């Protein structure tokens, strides 16, 4: 989701009896690493629901592209989920004060 503060959060939800052994976020083929104040990677567990998030604090055209959440288990089973991040921005400057008069 894109936020008003120009950040984006991608979420990978995994549920089941077994906790994932490893979860890795990638942008195209590059493994994402946490960068203080810029890239935040979190994992939480609530019962059999495992939530893995990738938060990009500052969006730019460089951040656009395909992101993948790769999930592996102890028994070597794995899967991945992908999303495509597109940054849309619109700026406007009114010609003068806005009026509610007809």
């Amino acid at each position: 989701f894109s936020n008003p503060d120009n950040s984006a959060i991608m979420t990978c939800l995994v549920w089941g009896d077994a906790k994932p052994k490893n979860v890795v976020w990638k942008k195209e083929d590059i493994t994402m690493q946490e960068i203080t104040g810029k890239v935040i990677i979190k994992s939480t567990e609530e019962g059999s629901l495992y939530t893995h998030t990738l938060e990009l604090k500052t969006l730019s055209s460089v951040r656009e592209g395909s992101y993948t959440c790769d999930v592996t288990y102890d028994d070597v089973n794995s899967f991945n989920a992908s999303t495509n991040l597109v940054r849309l921005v619109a700026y406007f400057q009114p010609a003068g004060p806005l009026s509610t008069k007809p």
Side-chain angles (χ1 to χ4, degrees):
F1 295 100
S2 179
N3 297 314
D5 66 354
N6 201 31
S7 67
I9 298 174
M10 291 167 270
T11 303
C12 180
L13 298 175
V14 181
W15 57 92
D17 295 332
K19 180 178 180 177
K21 177 181 179 182
N22 195 27
V23 176
V24 176
W25 282 96
K26 293 182 179 179
K27 180 179 186 255
E28 290 146 10
D29 289 330
I30 300 169
T31 299
M32 297 297 296
Q33 300 292 327
E34 197 155 327
I35 302 172
T36 304
K38 293 183 179 184
V39 178
I40 300 169
I41 300 171
K42 290 184 182 178
S43 295
T44 60
E45 179 180 337
E46 188 174 324
S48 59
L49 175 64
Y50 306 94
T51 305
H52 307 280
T53 59
L54 172 63
E55 182 175 1
L56 305 175
K57 295 304 274 183
T58 306
L59 290 182
S60 67
S61 58
V62 174
R63 298 263 189 219
E64 290 183 315
S66 178
Y67 288 83
T68 305
C69 174
D70 291 331
V71 180
T72 56
Y73 291 92
D74 281 330
D75 61 4
V76 299
N77 284 324
S78 65
F79 74 90
N80 63 45
S82 297
T83 189
N84 193 40
L85 179 65
V86 177
R87 178 179 177 251
L88 297 175
V89 178
Y91 296 101
F92 73 94
Q93 183 171 355
L98 298 176
S99 174
T100 57
K101 295 180 183 178

